[in-house]
Amino acid sequence: MNVARNNTATGTTATVKRGRFAPSPTGRLHAGSLLAAVGSYLDARQAGGEWIVRIEDIDRDRTVPGAADDILRTLESYGLEWDGAVLYQHTRTDAYRAALEALRAQGLVYACDCARRAYRSAGQGGEARYPGHCRHRTHPPTTAHAWRLDTRTAPPYTIADRLQGNYTQDVAQAVGDFVLWRKDGWPAYQLAVVVDDAHQGISDVVRGMDLLDNTPRQRLLQDRLQAPAPRYAHLPLLRDRDGSKLSKSTQALPVAKHAASATLAWILRMLQHPLPDDLGAAAPREQLAYAVAHWDTHRLAGVREISVPAG
Ligand code: GLU
Ligand code: ZN
């Protein structure tokens, strides 16, 4: 199956730059995701490109009712205007299923009912590498099971990240045969994101560093589905001054819809694009216009994390 870019939704040509912000509606927008939204917005708008919003709401367990609307209202209050209609992944199950079938037709998919604890290894952090137990089973499981991608024939991928330089990963070694369709009946993030980035004609993925190590999996799926590969730029993560991850503290703090000017000025400072003093309290739209005109990815080259200053 060819899931090559389809631009009929917006009627534009494939040469236009198109970025996206793809939040999971697991709660209110927080500083880390606002930073990703602003970075991808500036990157697209500076090139005169389009910027779209996609709500990644396929993870039923993590989706919080009302969170998607709250995120959209927050983006609006920050002057982050998107193009076209918001795409909700929960409406796209047929497309993900078609992609799964296309991979199955290539003999690359197999059923797996292993419990996660059965293969959690002593490896350091991140995901456990799945060792491929179920690859050769002759009878498919009769109980709930996941579908995995056979990665044995995958080449190592080197991502030429626009900010972080080259990042190389051998998917088979690093993560093994990863899940395409989950045991609970829902498509996995890796599959859905690849299908939708292609469907929406995304030319530039700009998102947080926490997703850099997911990118080779996505490049592999793009190749297997004959989808074009977007360019990638991974933005630095916010860290506490003591160097700890902000996931449970500042980065995770919900951002207010009021005080948008002050918060946006702070986000732009974190992105190494400080505003001139006279714009510190200007309307978010004005602040963004300045930042769009001055956006320069070189300022973030090789920056993997940013320590959040006191106050
Ligand atoms: N939905 C993912 C998240 O919120 C982001 C996906 C992406 O940008 O590729 O972490
Ligand atoms: Zn298995």
Side-chain angles (χ1 to χ4, degrees):
M1 183 194 62
N2 194 335
V3 291
R5 62 180 47 181
N6 161 14
N7 291 307
T8 51
T10 49
T12 56
T13 67
T15 50
V16 74
K17 186 164 185 168
R18 189 177 293 152
R20 89 310 195 259
F21 176 52
S24 303
T26 55
R28 315 250 323 262
L29 201 63
H30 53 70
S33 48
L34 180 61
L35 183 135
V38 171
S40 63
Y41 174 93
L42 298 178
D43 192 65
R45 295 299 191 213
Q46 198 217 26
E50 297 172 358
W51 187 67
I52 61 153
V53 174
R54 176 168 75 228
I55 299 291
E56 303 210 320
D57 57 355
I58 41 168
D59 191 334
R60 213 178 14 186
D61 300 333
R62 294 178 62 227
T63 295
V64 172
D69 278 347
D70 190 75
I71 288 171
L72 296 175
R73 298 296 83 77
T74 305
L75 293 176
E76 283 170 349
S77 70
Y78 281 80
L80 295 160
E81 280 172 28
W82 57 88
D83 292 300
V86 173
L87 184 71
Y88 289 82
Q89 288 195 322
H90 77 261
T91 66
R92 299 268 303 146
T93 310
D94 289 349
Y96 309 141
R97 204 171 289 283
L100 181 72
E101 293 312 319
L103 295 166
R104 195 198 308 280
Q106 299 172 58
L108 292 171
V109 173
Y110 64 89
C112 166
D113 61 351
C114 295
R116 200 175 161 74
R117 64 178 176 279
Y119 60 88
R120 184 169 281 156
S121 66
Q124 342 90 315
E127 276 160 276
R129 178 181 173 280
Y130 178 72
H133 285 313
C134 295
R135 219 183 261 145
H136 304 292
R137 61 193 294 165
T138 45
H139 300 292
T142 52
T143 51
H145 58 268
W147 295 102
R148 289 184 183 273
L149 183 77
D150 188 334
T151 57
R152 283 174 299 171
T153 57
Y157 279 98
T158 297
I159 308 301
D161 190 271
R162 291 171 51 211
L163 302 181
Q164 308 298 341
N166 284 349
Y167 173 78
T168 301
Q169 186 189 72
D170 182 336
V171 173
Q173 280 300 318
V175 281
D177 296 347
F178 58 91
V179 171
L180 297 169
W181 209 277
R182 294 154 38 138
K183 207 182 223 176
D184 63 9
W186 292 88
Y189 158 67
Q190 309 292 350
L191 182 68
V193 77
V194 163
V195 169
D196 285 342
D197 282 341
H199 171 68
Q200 298 191 283
I202 301 303
S203 67
D204 289 81
V205 171
V206 179
R207 60 187 179 189
M209 267 297 288
D210 53 327
L211 291 166
L212 179 61
D213 67 354
N214 286 237
T215 311
R217 268 171 279 179
Q218 294 170 20
R219 282 287 298 107
L220 169 59
L221 285 175
Q222 285 151 6
D223 280 356
R224 296 299 188 234
L225 292 167
Q226 294 172 267
R231 287 179 294 265
Y232 288 94
H234 286 87
L235 297 165
L237 296 181
L238 299 175
R239 300 256 172 191
D240 271 327
R241 276 165 304 145
D242 66 2
S244 65
K245 216 172 170 172
L246 286 188
S247 51
K248 290 289 171 282
S249 50
T250 311
Q251 175 152 274
L253 277 184
V255 293
K257 294 189 196 61
H258 61 274
S261 296
T263 306
L264 190 52
W266 182 83
I267 290 282
L268 291 169
R269 222 163 41 242
M270 295 301 106
L271 282 169
Q272 318 296 311
H273 287 71
L275 292 167
D277 288 346
D278 60 328
L279 284 179
R285 242 170 270 271
E286 254 182 89
Q287 295 177 318
L288 287 173
Y290 177 92
V292 163
H294 292 84
W295 177 247
D296 176 9
T297 51
H298 292 104
R299 296 189 202 172
L300 290 167
V303 182
R304 291 171 172 257
E305 51 186 67
I306 294 170
S307 299
V308 173

